[in-house]
Amino acid sequence: MRWLLLLCLLLSPCIVMATSVQATLDRNDVHLGETVTLNLRIDGTMNANTPDLSALDHDFEVLGASTNSSLNIVNGQQTAELIIGVALRPKHTGDLQIPPLTVAGSQTQALSLHVGQPDASASTNAGKNVFVEVSTSSNHAYVGQQLLYTVRLFFDVNLNSGSLADPHADGTDLRKLGNDTDYQTVRNGRHYQVIERRYALTPQRAGTLTIPSIEFQGEAVDPGNPNDPGGFFNPGGLFGNSTPVTADSPEVNLDVQAPPADWSKTAWLPARSLTLSLEGLPSDDKITAGQPLNLRMRVEAQGLPGDALPELSLPAIDGATIYPDQPNTTTRDDGEWLTGRRERSFAIFPQHAGALTIPEITLTWFDVQNGQKRVATIPAHTFTVVAASGTPAVASSAPQPVAAPAPLAASSVAPSTSVVPASNATSSTPWRWIALGSIALWLISMVAFGWFYRSKRSRASHATTSHSESGDSARALRQAFLDAVHSNDRPAQPRRLLAWARVERPGLRNLGQVAEALASEEQRAAIEQLQREQYAGVNAEQRINVAAAFAKGFVWRQENTSEVDSPLPPLYPFKLD
């Protein structure tokens, strides 16, 4: 019993492994008489029975089924997959439905297949062993609009070798899409093997466009050998007599139209669909002054390659500096249509607190499916820019006024001591009090002057010491910044330059404010270069010698002021009327 339980535990991963089923068709558009393959992909198992296909009997002839299984083990995790391929031949034209099928306990989704009339060129190629057909998704297009160009090679002989040339045409761009597909079809009662190849065809100029025929060259092998009727020495006809075979496709003519006459001066973008997006916007609409807001803009269009899409840029933003990154362009295809994508990142540096708005961004394109002009839009977005945390407000860095020394107030009330009673006005007592008051006032003045003199010397000494310490700190930070420049430590350069500047101007919070406070154009350009190097490249021809720009220190703007640059207020302040 114990061994049986252990065996159940070992097999349980396979038993409980979740299975999922997906149904796909190798083609969604066929002609009557052609075959199509229904692929049933089952994930999570390697063993499943072919489902009941009786629901297909009304619209299809089931020609047969095959299975292909695989098992992968990665880091101890097992993944199993089973594909059941069912060959179907439609019985009539129209939009046929493949209903949901029950496979491995799960149901597939319903599928649709368009079956058209037998190919009109079938009678032309009747009786041929090998022939080539070509077709386009439309006989007319706009300049720059992608069409689907399909090449099919039909053969009912054993081919020993062969080559099928790629199409070429002046004034067009032709790109191969996906991999070749092969299937079977029936033409005029004959069974043919078909190899299908697809291309993205994009006209580059208006007018009538002719795509020349393409040629197939190969060798057909006759498997029959009268000297070896059993095929012992010639299995599969590998050594039979070979006969050269060739086949040419017909020419294709297209009507290519120029863009509409009323089209604007913006780029001409004929696409099946187009989207424009901006990623990285903060959810709370708040950003910090002096810190980058990193955004990524993307445009994606079906029916256009990536190199046909316009360059991405942000409009000028008041109160911010924009540093764009290098663009990234890609093109992919799904076997029918090209899908181009262009992306670009931007670092936005807000310079000060307040409101910051990214204006509305639009891109005009032409919808080739509906023949209409459309506009893709990124709405305007407004952020609240807050001051960097941990930094003092600008107003707090101004020197605070020092209160006037107390003794100065005594002289303003001294006259009140001269009031005496009227009854003693004729005696000598008032003069005595006046003399005593004068002496007392003189003593008080001397004490106040001594206190003020000592306070002034103490403050001057403290200011001298602070200035000396500040100078030592500035020299150390200046040397640290120059060391970072000489060692090419780019991440450290902006931080050390800001630390050096804040020793001299404590109210500065970021390099943007440092640049605004400088009077030297060279130093402002050097700061811009330091910021740009953090998020974008700088051409060698435009590079500034940052060390030389700050070798003699900062060149600050001179502020207009009538006050004396002194740590103390005037001794006897007064106001002019």
Side-chain angles (χ1 to χ4, degrees):
M1 184 66 182
R2 184 179 300 172
W3 288 102
L4 180 60
L5 179 60
L6 180 59
L7 181 62
C8 292
L9 290 175
L10 291 174
L11 294 178
S12 60
C14 298
I15 296 174
V16 300
M17 185 180 293
T19 60
S20 63
V21 180
Q22 182 182 16
T24 59
L25 291 169
D26 65 340
R27 293 181 297 156
N28 296 317
D29 194 342
V30 298
H31 293 286
L32 186 63
E34 297 178 351
T35 59
V36 63
T37 301
L38 171 64
N39 293 311
L40 304 173
R41 176 178 175 177
I42 310 166
D43 295 326
T45 183
M46 294 179 60
N47 187 17
N49 296 324
T50 302
D52 181 11
L53 304 175
S54 58
L56 305 175
D57 292 341
H58 181 266
D59 295 323
F60 299 93
E61 178 184 355
V62 179
L63 302 179
S66 61
T67 60
N68 182 23
S69 60
S70 62
L71 176 64
N72 295 319
I73 301 177
V74 179
N75 297 328
Q77 298 294 325
Q78 296 183 2
T79 57
E81 179 184 86
L82 175 67
I83 298 178
I84 301 176
V86 182
L88 304 176
R89 180 181 297 155
K91 293 182 178 180
H92 55 85
T93 61
D95 293 323
L96 308 186
Q97 298 295 316
I98 298 178
L101 302 174
T102 302
V103 185
S106 301
Q107 268 201 333
T108 65
Q109 72 276 21
L111 300 174
S112 297
L113 175 69
H114 177 73
V115 182
Q117 295 292 336
D119 199 328
S121 60
S123 57
T124 304
N125 298 311
K128 294 183 179 179
N129 295 329
V130 180
F131 59 92
V132 179
E133 292 181 353
V134 293
S135 63
T136 56
S137 55
S138 178
N139 291 327
H140 60 273
Y142 286 96
V143 171
Q145 175 186 346
Q146 185 221 319
L147 298 177
L148 180 62
Y149 183 78
T150 306
V151 179
R152 298 183 182 93
L153 171 66
F154 295 77
F155 58 94
D156 68 348
V157 295
N158 294 324
L159 293 177
N160 184 30
S161 63
S163 63
L164 181 63
D166 289 325
H168 294 280
D170 294 336
T172 64
D173 178 49
L174 280 158
R175 308 187 187 191
K176 190 175 182 297
L177 300 174
N179 299 319
D180 296 348
T181 59
D182 61 275
Y183 54 91
Q184 293 180 347
T185 187
V186 177
R187 291 288 183 88
N188 298 314
R190 297 182 63 174
H191 292 266
Y192 287 92
Q193 191 73 20
V194 183
I195 297 178
E196 183 175 298
R197 188 175 295 173
R198 296 179 176 182
Y199 297 86
L201 187 155
T202 306
Q204 302 296 317
R205 61 172 181 244
T208 301
L209 176 64
T210 299
I211 304 175
S213 64
I214 58 177
E215 182 183 36
F216 169 77
Q217 294 182 349
E219 289 186 351
V221 178
D222 181 6
N225 188 339
N227 298 321
D228 182 25
F232 181 79
F233 296 103
N234 187 27
L238 295 178
F239 303 101
N241 297 325
S242 62
T243 303
V245 291
T246 60
D248 296 326
S249 71
E251 291 183 348
V252 175
N253 294 318
L254 300 176
D255 180 22
V256 183
Q257 302 178 35
D262 59 347
W263 189 257
S264 60
K265 294 182 180 180
T266 58
W268 168 244
L269 300 173
R272 296 172 58 84
S273 63
L274 186 143
T275 58
L276 181 65
S277 60
L278 188 63
E279 301 175 354
L281 299 173
S283 57
D284 57 358
D285 291 339
K286 290 183 179 180
I287 55 180
T288 304
Q291 296 184 7
L293 171 64
N294 297 310
L295 301 179
R296 177 177 291 270
M297 188 184 300
R298 175 186 297 121
V299 57
E300 184 171 289
Q302 185 185 52
L304 286 174
D307 52 16
L309 298 175
E311 289 288 347
L312 299 177
S313 62
L314 283 176
I317 301 175
D318 292 337
T321 305
I322 303 174
Y323 297 100
D325 201 352
Q326 296 298 322
N328 181 30
T329 303
T330 58
T331 302
R332 58 181 175 84
D333 71 82
D334 57 5
E336 292 188 0
W337 307 105
L338 297 174
T339 300
R341 172 184 291 184
R342 179 160 287 184
E343 297 178 331
R344 195 172 195 182
S345 297
F346 300 88
I348 301 176
F349 279 85
Q351 299 299 331
H352 50 74
L356 185 145
T357 299
I358 299 178
E360 180 184 79
I361 304 170
T362 61
L363 181 61
T364 304
W365 62 286
F366 187 77
D367 186 349
V368 297
Q369 297 193 88
N370 299 300
Q372 295 181 355
K373 178 190 295 185
R374 300 191 184 277
V375 179
T377 304
I378 298 176
H381 207 95
T382 300
F383 306 97
T384 299
V385 183
V386 298
S389 60
T391 58
V394 176
S396 64
S397 62
Q400 299 296 323
V402 180
L408 299 179
S411 62
S412 63
V413 297
S416 63
T417 61
S418 63
V419 180
V420 296
S423 59
N424 297 327
T426 59
S427 67
S428 62
T429 301
W431 299 106
R432 184 184 304 170
W433 287 109
I434 292 173
L436 291 175
S438 300
I439 294 172
L441 183 62
W442 179 79
L443 292 174
I444 292 174
S445 299
M446 292 299 295
V447 171
F449 178 78
W451 174 86
F452 178 74
Y453 181 76
R454 288 194 300 271
S455 176
K456 180 178 180 181
R457 290 192 61 183
S458 176
R459 292 187 183 184
S461 175
H462 176 72
T464 303
T465 303
S466 299
H467 181 73
S468 177
E469 294 177 353
S470 176
D472 292 341
S473 176
R475 282 192 294 271
L477 291 174
R478 172 182 175 273
Q479 188 59 44
F481 167 70
L482 294 178
D483 291 343
V485 174
H486 293 150
S487 63
N488 201 26
D489 187 356
R490 294 184 179 178
Q493 293 173 18
R495 297 196 306 270
R496 295 181 180 180
L497 181 62
L498 178 60
W500 176 22
R502 293 184 65 182
V503 170
E504 300 186 13
R505 297 291 177 95
L508 300 176
R509 290 169 291 176
N510 53 64
L511 286 182
Q513 293 184 353
V514 174
E516 292 179 357
L518 292 172
S520 170
E521 291 290 343
E522 182 183 10
Q523 292 185 348
R524 288 201 294 269
I527 289 178
E528 182 178 359
Q529 176 176 297
L530 290 178
Q531 292 179 321
R532 184 182 298 274
E533 285 180 338
Q534 303 301 312
Y535 299 93
V538 177
N539 294 331
E541 298 81 4
Q542 301 176 351
R543 186 174 297 279
I544 298 173
N545 189 335
V546 177
F550 293 95
K552 297 182 180 179
F554 294 98
V555 182
W556 302 109
R557 293 180 182 274
Q558 297 296 326
E559 298 181 357
N560 294 327
T561 176
S562 59
E563 299 292 336
V564 178
D565 188 9
S566 172
L568 294 176
L571 182 60
Y572 297 102
F574 62 93
K575 180 175 67 174
L576 294 176
D577 292 332

